[in-house]
Every structure is written in C-alpha cells, then in structure tokens.
Amino acid sequence: MTTHPYTLAEPRVSTALARMFEAAERDGQTAQRLGARNFAERDKFTAQQLADASQDIYMPISAQGGKLLYNLVRATRPAQVVEFGTSYGISTVHLAAAVRDNGAGHVITTEMNQAKATAARHTFADTDLEDVITLLEGDALQTLAGLQTPVDFLFLDGWKDLCLPVLRLIEPHLAPGTLVVADDVDLPDLGPYLDYVRDTDNGYHSVTFPVEDGLEISCRL
C-alpha cells in the first residue's frame, strides 16, 4: 500500500490543532470578560493596542477554512507563503503542513503581540514545523516591507482594515496567477479590501468561498 504525506494527521499536529480549536471556542466569553467589544471603534486605538488587548483571544480560521488553505497550498505548490496575522498559529500550522507535504517551500508569518508570538513559536516547535516557518514579530507593514523575493501565496487574516494596506505593500512581489486569500468576508472592516480585489481593473479575479465566515480567494491577473 502506497502511503502519502499528510502532516495534518500526525499526532503532534492534530493534537496541537485540537487543543487550539478547543481554546478558541471560548473566544466569545474571553472577549466579553476582557471588554474587547470596547475596541469596536477601531480608529481610536493603534494596532498594537488592539493586539495587546486581544492577547487571550485566538481569532482562528475555521477548521474547514484551515483544510481549504492546506489544499490550496498543496495544489499551487508555492515556494514562499506569506501570512498576515499569526495569532496562536492555527492557520500557520495548516499552511506549514502543506508546505512540508509538498516537499519544498517556506512560510513567513507575522504577529504583533509578543505573548501570541511566543506561544506560536512553541507550537511550531512542538509540531516539528519550525524549520519551514519564519515568524516576524511586530507591525506587518514594517516587518514585511523588507521582502526581496516573490510571494507565491498570500493569506490575510490580521486586522481587517489593514488587509488592503498589506496587500498593496506586497503587490510588487505577486506574479500573475498568485492566489491571495482573505478570511472573514462578513466583517465590515474588510469592505475596502473586498471592493479592491473584486474590481478586475485592480488586477484580480475574485470569488467568495462560503466556509464559516467566508474566504475571499483572489487570483492575481
């Protein structure tokens, strides 16, 4: 019987994902306890203040969304994946598992909150995926500004009002055919981003994939 690499099923990986998804189920209670709803008026706070106030909130991609990310990366075989918004690393693990199973590639991910970045690094080590992941800690608009190589797959799941600025920052590194995926299409703050990628004059062909809060999958034209 021929076996195929499927890192998501490895015990260390599946256990870590189950643990994080279980913790994320308490996000609503945690947000209420922390008073995170007071941060709904985004323009009154810096990204760092929001990141630190939301330190205990996982804000994960859905389980089905994670599987979709894995499939997209397996299918497109990107040499370099960039993720905006690590949080505790749920989506990063899916991306890295796909890169590992492809046999080549690397994931660059970004996180502003120090505690989340530390926890994510521990998870990457525990799942034996740390060798295919580089975590850049700090403001993504600064940490990603130094990119010098092509970006072959881009996943946007940080603060929604920053997704468009991050995309515009990385656009010079996107070749035709590159996939750009954004999570949470139902959130109002993602509106300007969606307006941009849904307009073919801006160089994208975009489709909404109806999984959980929705993923916007855009192909660079």
Side-chain angles (χ1 to χ4, degrees), residues 48-68:
Q48 186 67 62
Q49 287 174 322
L50 285 167
D52 292 342
S54 304
Q55 177 175 299
D56 296 325
I57 305 175
Y58 277 71
M59 299 184 236
I61 192 169
S62 67
Q64 289 298 103
K67 292 176 181 178
L68 178 59

Side-chain angles (χ1 to χ4, degrees), residues 1-180:
M1 178 178 177
T2 303
T3 59
H4 304 282
Y6 183 51
T7 297
L8 289 179
E10 291 185 0
R12 286 177 296 182
V13 175
S14 61
T15 298
L17 287 174
R19 169 183 56 80
M20 290 189 289
F21 275 125
E22 181 180 0
E25 290 178 0
R26 298 188 291 272
D27 271 1
Q29 296 173 345
T30 304
Q32 187 173 17
R33 174 173 56 83
L34 296 175
R37 58 191 173 188
N38 295 330
F39 287 80
E41 298 182 43
R42 171 71 176 83
D43 58 345
K44 292 185 178 180
F45 304 92
T46 67
Q48 186 67 62
Q49 287 174 322
L50 285 167
D52 292 342
S54 304
Q55 177 175 299
D56 296 325
I57 305 175
Y58 277 71
M59 299 184 236
I61 192 169
S62 67
Q64 289 298 103
K67 292 176 181 178
L68 178 59
L69 282 184
Y70 175 88
N71 284 356
L72 291 173
V73 172
R74 287 302 308 270
T76 57
R77 304 185 68 82
Q80 180 161 274
V81 176
V82 171
E83 175 185 40
F84 166 50
T86 310
S87 191
Y88 282 90
I90 290 177
S91 52
T92 318
V93 167
H94 285 88
L95 295 168
V99 163
R100 169 62 53 75
D101 293 345
N102 280 342
H106 198 80
V107 178
I108 296 175
T109 187
T110 65
E111 177 53 47
M112 181 171 280
N113 179 265
Q114 185 178 28
K116 284 186 174 182
T118 298
R121 287 192 177 98
H122 285 308
T123 296
F124 302 155
D126 291 343
T127 54
D128 198 29
L129 290 169
E130 59 184 343
D131 61 314
V132 296
I133 302 172
T134 297
L135 195 161
L136 304 178
E137 189 174 335
D139 185 339
L141 291 173
Q142 298 177 13
T143 60
L144 294 176
L147 284 176
Q148 300 295 325
T149 56
V151 174
D152 307 301
F153 188 97
L154 176 61
F155 178 54
L156 302 168
D157 197 20
W159 295 112
K160 304 310 167 186
D161 61 328
L162 296 180
C163 286
L164 181 55
V166 170
L167 173 62
R168 296 300 301 272
L169 175 70
I170 294 177
E171 268 184 342
H173 305 284
L174 302 178
T178 300
L179 290 184
V180 179

